[in-house]
Every structure is written in structure tokens, then in C-alpha cells.
């Protein structure tokens, strides 16, 4: 009788651990993957990463703002997801966020310099999806007109376009 209770308890604990592991696993994208998060993550979709397609990004609470940039002649309206929301979604735990473009250009952003609202990972510019030739499909942008703090060489260098990977590390 004791063996049966012990076996039942052990199977319940194992089932509980499996349930917790499944709870930390995120949905798999149905469409083409636009963004992969890796590194120190509490959650994952596949192979220790978090992958997102455009529809998954659009399902998150969007942030929309209009701003001028040093790369465009006119003001631009950007729609995207706050980078902080993406990091929280993946359970990113690193002190540094490496943002990597399609051409492997990489910038580091200290995690403690990412606020609840800025920067955003924009997926629309002036209401349209961005192609790789048009700085897309994803672009880390700040509301540059909102503060002189967003108009510095450091911030401009962190405004990486053609974003396709984020790596969380210490």
C-alpha cells in the first residue's frame, strides 16, 4: 500500500513538473517567422527560443506614434510593440539585449535602459508593412521628437532596422 501511495505521489509530482514546463512553452507561429528571441529566457516556443510572426506581433497591444527621424525627410507614423513587452513575453532575464539585423549588424541595449513604452519594435510604417529594402520588416524606433534624450548618437545607433533577432545575455 505504501508503494502505491509513493508511486502515485511521484507520478503526480512528475505530471506537475510537466504541466509547468508546458505552461512556459509559448505558441508556435503559423506564418513566416519575423523575430527570434534567444539567450536567457524563461519561456520558449522551440529549441530554447521564442519565435514570432507578424500576426503574433499584431495581437500584442500596439503602440503608435509619429516622429521625425534622421533617416526620413518627413515625419513617419510607426506602429509596433514596446520592446519591453516582447522581452517580458519571452521572459528575457539578461542585463543586455543584443539586437541583430538580417545582415548580422548588431547593437547592444542595456536592459535597464528599456522602458515600458520605449523603444518599440515597429512592424508598420505609415500604416504599411515594411520590406527589407524599406528598413523592415522590423525596426527598433524611439519617439525621437519627444525628448532630446532620444536624439543622441547612442539612441540612433540602437535604432536598428531589418531586425530579425534579439539575444538576451549578461
Amino acid at each position: 500500500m505504501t508503494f502505491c501511495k509513493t508511486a502515485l505521489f511521484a507520478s503526480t509530482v512528475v505530471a506537475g513538473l510537466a504541466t509547468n514546463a508546458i505552461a512556459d512553452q509559448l505558441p508556435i507561429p503559423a506564418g513566416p517567422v519575423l523575430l527570434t528571441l534567444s539567450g536567457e529566457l524563461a519561456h520558449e516556443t522551440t529549441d530554447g527560443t521564442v519565435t514570432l510572426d507578424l500576426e503574433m506581433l499584431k495581437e500584442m497591444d500596439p503602440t503608435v506614434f509619429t516622429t521625425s527621424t534622421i533617416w526620413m525627410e518627413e515625419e513617419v507614423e510607426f506602429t509596433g510593440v514596446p520592446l519591453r513587452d516582447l522581452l517580458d513575453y519571452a521572459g528575457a532575464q539578461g542585463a543586455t539585449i543584443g539586437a541583430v539585423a538580417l545582415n548580422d549588424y548588431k547593437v547592444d541595449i542595456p536592459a535597464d535602459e528599456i522602458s515600458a513604452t520605449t523603444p518599440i519594435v515597429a512592424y508598420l510604417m505609415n500604416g504599411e508593412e515594411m520590406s527589407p529594402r524599406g528598413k523592415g520588416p522590423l525596426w527598433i524606433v524611439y519617439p525621437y521628437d519627444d525628448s532630446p534624450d532620444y536624439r543622441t548618437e547612442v539612441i540612433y545607433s540602437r535604432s536598428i532596422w531589418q531586425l530579425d533577432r534579439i539575444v538576451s545575455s549578461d
Side-chain angles (χ1 to χ4, degrees):
M1 192 69 127
T2 304
F3 174 76
C4 290
K5 287 182 181 178
T6 303
L8 178 61
F9 175 76
S11 66
T12 303
V13 169
V14 170
L17 291 174
T19 301
N20 288 339
I22 291 169
D24 287 341
Q25 189 165 9
L26 300 172
I28 296 171
V33 172
L34 289 186
L35 184 63
T36 301
L37 292 92
S38 63
E40 297 183 32
L41 307 177
H43 312 294
E44 62 182 52
T45 50
T46 57
D47 301 328
T49 66
V50 171
T51 52
L52 298 148
D53 64 13
L54 182 59
E55 292 309 311
M56 294 170 83
L57 291 169
K58 286 181 175 181
E59 288 176 5
M60 297 182 180
D61 287 334
T63 296
V64 180
F65 58 76
T66 300
T67 189
S68 59
T69 77
I70 62 171
W71 306 280
M72 308 291 200
E73 292 182 21
E74 299 177 8
E75 285 189 339
V76 180
E77 179 187 82
F78 290 102
T79 303
V81 178
L83 179 55
R84 172 58 51 208
D85 288 357
L86 291 172
L87 298 175
D88 290 348
Y89 178 79
Q93 301 170 359
T96 302
I97 304 307
V100 186
L102 291 169
N103 66 358
D104 291 327
Y105 174 77
K106 181 183 178 206
V107 296
D108 289 330
I109 305 172
D112 62 359
E113 293 183 23
I114 299 169
S115 78
T117 57
T118 58
I120 68 167
V121 174
Y123 53 81
L124 297 178
M125 182 169 53
N126 292 327
E128 301 289 329
E129 292 177 21
M130 296 175 280
S131 71
R133 288 185 180 266
K135 302 198 180 341
L138 302 174
W139 185 357
I140 293 180
V141 292
Y142 294 77
Y144 307 103
D145 295 340
D146 286 4
S147 168
D149 293 340
Y150 296 140
R151 295 187 297 272
T152 67
E153 287 302 315
V154 170
I155 295 299
Y156 292 144
S157 72
R158 293 177 183 169
S159 301
I160 185 171
W161 54 75
Q162 296 180 331
L163 176 72
D164 86 326
R165 296 181 307 268
I166 294 175
V167 182
S168 174
S169 64
D170 277 334

